Amino acid sequence: MFLLEREPDMSVEMDEPTIVATWENRAQIIEIMSSAHQTSQQFQQLWQSSGGTGRLSQDDTDKLVELLRKIGDLNETLMRLA
């Protein structure tokens, strides 16, 4: 059986759920991680397009906001699996 658990961090509240991966939700977790990887690559591309300064055009800023929204959505989805 495939099992993944997140160790509790003492700096966060103790009533947070433990994330458990099973064979039943394995495909969903892999999909979430794949989306997170793609989002990370897009974030890196934005950073590189800024020349490493963090100054972005309005279009790139809009893309950054969308990436941050995606990250929040991925986090919510992952927490629902817990």
Side-chain angles (χ1 to χ4, degrees):
M1 183 166 115
F2 180 73
L3 180 65
L4 171 69
E5 291 188 36
R6 183 179 66 186
E7 292 293 325
D9 182 359
M10 293 308 202
S11 65
V12 296
E13 294 180 19
M14 294 303 291
D15 59 341
E16 284 189 26
T18 299
I19 298 172
V20 177
T22 66
W23 284 113
E24 291 81 21
N25 63 10
R26 179 181 178 271
Q28 289 176 293
I29 291 175
I30 289 172
E31 184 179 325
I32 291 168
M33 294 306 168
S34 176
S35 294
H37 178 70
Q38 291 170 3
T39 302
S40 174
Q41 288 178 324
Q42 292 171 341
F43 187 82
Q44 183 64 30
Q45 289 169 353
L46 282 176
W47 177 256
Q48 289 171 348
S49 73
S50 77
T53 65
R55 293 177 185 237
L56 301 172
S57 67
Q58 184 60 50
D59 286 341
D60 286 345
T61 300
D62 293 342
K63 288 177 192 175
L64 178 61
V65 169
E66 183 60 33
L67 289 174
L68 293 173
R69 187 173 294 124
K70 266 187 181 178
I71 290 169
D73 292 346
L74 288 171
N75 185 50
E76 280 185 34
T77 303
L78 186 59
M79 293 307 289
R80 279 194 303 254
L81 291 176

